[in-house]
Short mmCIF file of all heavy atoms in Angstrom, two decimals:
data_model
loop_
_atom_site.label_atom_id
_atom_site.label_comp_id
_atom_site.label_asym_id
_atom_site.label_seq_id
_atom_site.Cartn_x
_atom_site.Cartn_y
_atom_site.Cartn_z
N SER A 84 -24.45 -6.41 -11.30
CA SER A 84 -25.47 -6.41 -10.24
C SER A 84 -25.98 -7.83 -10.01
O SER A 84 -25.74 -8.73 -10.84
CB SER A 84 -26.67 -5.51 -10.60
OG SER A 84 -27.48 -6.15 -11.57
N GLY A 85 -26.72 -8.00 -8.92
CA GLY A 85 -27.35 -9.30 -8.65
C GLY A 85 -28.47 -9.57 -9.64
O GLY A 85 -28.70 -10.72 -10.03
N SER A 86 -29.17 -8.52 -10.05
CA SER A 86 -30.25 -8.70 -11.03
C SER A 86 -29.67 -9.17 -12.36
O SER A 86 -30.24 -10.03 -13.03
CB SER A 86 -31.00 -7.38 -11.24
OG SER A 86 -31.54 -6.93 -10.03
N ASN A 89 -28.90 -12.81 -12.02
CA ASN A 89 -30.10 -13.64 -12.19
C ASN A 89 -30.51 -13.74 -13.65
O ASN A 89 -30.91 -14.80 -14.13
CB ASN A 89 -31.26 -13.07 -11.36
CG ASN A 89 -31.19 -13.49 -9.90
OD1 ASN A 89 -30.41 -14.37 -9.54
ND2 ASN A 89 -31.99 -12.87 -9.06
N PHE A 116 -38.18 -10.83 -3.99
CA PHE A 116 -37.61 -9.71 -4.72
C PHE A 116 -37.93 -9.88 -6.21
O PHE A 116 -37.80 -10.97 -6.75
CB PHE A 116 -36.09 -9.65 -4.49
CG PHE A 116 -35.51 -8.32 -4.84
CD1 PHE A 116 -35.59 -7.26 -3.94
CD2 PHE A 116 -34.94 -8.08 -6.08
CE1 PHE A 116 -35.09 -6.01 -4.26
CE2 PHE A 116 -34.44 -6.83 -6.42
CZ PHE A 116 -34.51 -5.79 -5.50
N THR A 118 -36.56 -9.23 -9.09
CA THR A 118 -35.64 -9.71 -10.14
C THR A 118 -35.17 -11.14 -9.91
O THR A 118 -34.25 -11.61 -10.58
CB THR A 118 -34.45 -8.74 -10.35
OG1 THR A 118 -33.80 -8.51 -9.12
CG2 THR A 118 -34.92 -7.44 -10.97
N THR A 119 -35.81 -11.83 -8.97
CA THR A 119 -35.66 -13.29 -8.95
C THR A 119 -36.63 -13.88 -9.98
O THR A 119 -36.36 -14.94 -10.56
CB THR A 119 -35.99 -13.86 -7.55
OG1 THR A 119 -35.25 -13.14 -6.57
CG2 THR A 119 -35.63 -15.34 -7.44
N ALA A 161 -34.90 -17.36 -3.82
CA ALA A 161 -33.89 -16.77 -2.94
C ALA A 161 -34.11 -17.31 -1.53
O ALA A 161 -35.25 -17.39 -1.07
CB ALA A 161 -34.02 -15.26 -2.94
N ASP A 187 -30.72 -18.35 -5.90
CA ASP A 187 -30.49 -16.91 -5.68
C ASP A 187 -29.99 -16.74 -4.24
O ASP A 187 -30.75 -16.87 -3.28
CB ASP A 187 -31.80 -16.15 -5.92
CG ASP A 187 -31.66 -14.64 -5.70
OD1 ASP A 187 -30.75 -14.23 -4.96
OD2 ASP A 187 -32.48 -13.88 -6.25
N CYS A 189 -28.53 -13.97 -3.18
CA CYS A 189 -28.25 -12.53 -3.04
C CYS A 189 -28.33 -12.06 -1.59
O CYS A 189 -27.62 -11.14 -1.20
CB CYS A 189 -29.20 -11.73 -3.92
SG CYS A 189 -28.82 -11.88 -5.67
N ASP A 190 -29.21 -12.69 -0.80
CA ASP A 190 -29.38 -12.24 0.59
C ASP A 190 -28.74 -13.21 1.57
O ASP A 190 -29.00 -13.12 2.78
CB ASP A 190 -30.88 -12.13 0.92
CG ASP A 190 -31.58 -11.13 0.02
OD1 ASP A 190 -30.90 -10.25 -0.52
OD2 ASP A 190 -32.81 -11.24 -0.15
N SER A 211 -25.52 -10.81 -4.85
CA SER A 211 -25.59 -9.36 -5.10
C SER A 211 -24.65 -8.64 -4.15
O SER A 211 -24.54 -9.02 -2.98
CB SER A 211 -27.02 -8.87 -4.87
OG SER A 211 -27.02 -7.46 -4.68
N PHE A 212 -24.03 -7.58 -4.66
CA PHE A 212 -23.15 -6.77 -3.80
C PHE A 212 -23.62 -5.33 -3.75
O PHE A 212 -22.83 -4.39 -3.70
CB PHE A 212 -21.70 -6.89 -4.29
CG PHE A 212 -21.29 -8.32 -4.53
CD1 PHE A 212 -20.83 -8.73 -5.77
CD2 PHE A 212 -21.44 -9.27 -3.53
CE1 PHE A 212 -20.49 -10.06 -6.00
CE2 PHE A 212 -21.11 -10.60 -3.74
CZ PHE A 212 -20.64 -11.00 -4.98
N TYR A 213 -24.93 -5.16 -3.80
CA TYR A 213 -25.56 -3.86 -3.57
C TYR A 213 -25.28 -3.47 -2.11
O TYR A 213 -25.12 -4.36 -1.26
CB TYR A 213 -27.07 -4.02 -3.85
CG TYR A 213 -27.86 -2.76 -3.72
CD1 TYR A 213 -27.81 -1.79 -4.72
CD2 TYR A 213 -28.66 -2.53 -2.60
CE1 TYR A 213 -28.53 -0.61 -4.59
CE2 TYR A 213 -29.39 -1.36 -2.48
CZ TYR A 213 -29.32 -0.40 -3.48
OH TYR A 213 -30.02 0.76 -3.35
N HIS A 216 -26.27 -5.39 1.10
CA HIS A 216 -25.99 -6.83 1.22
C HIS A 216 -24.77 -7.11 2.10
O HIS A 216 -24.11 -6.20 2.57
CB HIS A 216 -25.86 -7.43 -0.18
CG HIS A 216 -27.18 -7.42 -0.90
ND1 HIS A 216 -27.88 -8.57 -1.19
CD2 HIS A 216 -27.94 -6.40 -1.34
CE1 HIS A 216 -29.01 -8.24 -1.79
NE2 HIS A 216 -29.08 -6.93 -1.89
N GLU A 222 -22.24 -1.55 -6.60
CA GLU A 222 -23.13 -2.42 -7.36
C GLU A 222 -22.29 -3.64 -7.72
O GLU A 222 -21.07 -3.53 -7.84
CB GLU A 222 -23.62 -1.75 -8.65
CG GLU A 222 -24.47 -0.52 -8.47
CD GLU A 222 -25.94 -0.82 -8.18
OE1 GLU A 222 -26.30 -2.00 -8.03
OE2 GLU A 222 -26.71 0.15 -8.08
N GLY A 223 -22.92 -4.76 -7.95
CA GLY A 223 -22.14 -5.93 -8.36
C GLY A 223 -22.89 -7.21 -8.10
O GLY A 223 -23.90 -7.22 -7.37
N PHE A 377 -39.58 -7.02 0.90
CA PHE A 377 -39.44 -6.66 -0.52
C PHE A 377 -40.81 -6.39 -1.16
O PHE A 377 -41.57 -5.60 -0.63
CB PHE A 377 -38.65 -7.74 -1.26
CG PHE A 377 -37.29 -8.00 -0.65
CD1 PHE A 377 -36.83 -9.28 -0.45
CD2 PHE A 377 -36.47 -6.95 -0.26
CE1 PHE A 377 -35.58 -9.52 0.11
CE2 PHE A 377 -35.22 -7.17 0.31
CZ PHE A 377 -34.79 -8.46 0.49
C1 PLP B 1 -33.14 -11.94 -3.31
C2 PLP B 1 -32.60 -10.88 -4.21
N1 PLP B 1 -32.32 -11.20 -5.48
C3 PLP B 1 -31.82 -10.29 -6.34
C4 PLP B 1 -31.59 -8.99 -5.94
C5 PLP B 1 -31.05 -8.01 -6.93
O1 PLP B 1 -29.75 -7.61 -6.64
P1 PLP B 1 -29.20 -6.20 -7.19
O2 PLP B 1 -29.78 -5.13 -6.35
O3 PLP B 1 -27.71 -6.30 -7.02
O4 PLP B 1 -29.58 -6.09 -8.60
C6 PLP B 1 -31.90 -8.61 -4.63
C7 PLP B 1 -31.76 -7.22 -4.14
O5 PLP B 1 -30.90 -6.53 -3.99
C8 PLP B 1 -32.40 -9.58 -3.74
O6 PLP B 1 -32.69 -9.26 -2.47
#
Side-chain angles (χ1 to χ4, degrees):
S84 76
S86 301
N89 278 349
F116 198 82
T118 54
T119 310
D187 179 336
C189 288
D190 300 337
S211 161
F212 312 123
Y213 183 76
H216 292 249
E222 296 278 4
F377 304 135

